[in-house]
Amino acid sequence: MGMMDQDILKVLYTEKQIAARIEAMGMEMYGALKDKDPLFVSVLRGAFIFMADIVRACQVRCDVEFIAVSSYGNATSSSGAVKITHDIQQDITGRNIVVIEDILDSGNTLHFLKQYFMTKGAASVSICTLLDKPSRRTKAITADYIGFTVPDEFVVGYGLDYCQKYRNLPYIGVLKPEVYSGEE
Ligand code: PRP
């Protein structure tokens, strides 16, 4: 038992379940993307672990990029404005972009990024998310590839954080409420 496990209320997906799901997703994506010379774009920081696993599960010829964004949405402002803090490093004109995310929540981030990549001349933008939380959606956006659909609970691990911690848990779990003590 690691030192972070005591903060977990319950495990939603074990390391094994995640690996099995990603293997199946990778095969599905391979079928759809094998002739598309896709560019996989991971959204930092949460998606970094999923990115590493999904690109190896999907054995297509591809390149990888990383983008970082910050969101200015908060409880009082639902504008959901998104700002790019680290941009991708290559011309994407005519490319088939596959955005790799750890979680699709309100949809603000992916709604923005889809527009952004289309404006920059991408041929297509598809979305691959490990977790989908449709109950929280405020933007009309759906993912093309979904690992698991999750309830509206505070999930951490496998890249997902609480106050930048727990990202390195190998499984996905629900945080005990006393850990975040009502300050979600
Ligand atoms: C999370 C997640 C997505 C975004 C999804 O990132 O990685 O990028 O929120 O939420 P949305 O659908 O409501 O836009 P976060 O801002 O927590 O940063 P992180 O990736 O560094 O953890």
Side-chain angles (χ1 to χ4, degrees):
M1 181 140 160
M3 64 193 296
M4 292 173 287
D5 299 305
Q6 63 198 16
D7 295 343
I8 302 302
L9 183 67
K10 63 180 176 191
V11 175
L12 277 188
Y13 304 107
T14 65
E15 192 173 359
K16 265 191 176 166
Q17 287 172 319
I18 295 168
R21 185 69 194 111
I22 290 175
E23 192 178 342
M25 291 176 85
M27 285 166 64
E28 182 192 351
M29 290 166 71
Y30 179 84
L33 299 169
K34 60 182 187 298
D35 307 320
K36 306 267 188 210
D37 186 26
L39 171 59
F40 290 92
V41 181
S42 170
V43 185
L44 296 171
R45 288 180 286 253
F48 78 111
I49 291 178
F50 180 43
M51 176 71 157
D53 284 344
I54 195 70
V55 296
R56 286 178 293 173
C58 181
Q59 285 289 306
V60 289
R61 187 176 294 274
C62 66
D63 7 330
V64 300
E65 282 277 356
F66 298 87
I67 194 164
V69 297
S70 65
S71 166
Y72 292 115
N74 59 40
T76 50
S77 132
S78 57
S79 70
V82 176
K83 186 173 177 256
I84 293 173
T85 56
H86 168 80
D87 208 344
I88 55 175
Q89 305 293 305
Q90 63 180 284
D91 179 20
I92 60 165
T93 308
R95 296 299 301 272
N96 295 298
I97 309 289
V98 184
V99 185
I100 306 295
E101 262 290 22
D102 53 330
I103 188 164
L104 173 52
D105 197 339
S106 72
N108 277 330
T109 306
L110 285 173
H111 182 264
F112 170 84
L113 285 176
K114 202 165 183 172
Q115 290 285 123
Y116 180 71
F117 293 135
M118 289 311 289
T119 303
K120 287 197 133 195
S124 70
V125 180
S126 53
I127 292 170
C128 171
T129 189
L130 181 63
L131 303 182
D132 186 17
K133 211 186 245 189
S135 57
R136 297 249 303 178
R137 201 81 89 251
T138 58
K139 290 271 165 55
I141 191 142
T142 52
D144 302 270
Y145 309 99
I146 295 168
F148 303 103
T149 300
V150 292
D152 190 9
E153 292 185 288
F154 206 132
V155 288
V156 295
Y158 197 78
L160 294 138
D161 74 307
Y162 167 63
C163 287
Q164 303 303 330
K165 299 295 190 276
Y166 305 100
R167 294 192 197 272
N168 57 331
L169 282 176
Y171 56 85
I172 294 170
V174 177
L175 204 57
K176 284 180 182 167
E178 57 261 40
V179 176
Y180 55 86
S181 57
E183 50 146 329
E184 184 182 358

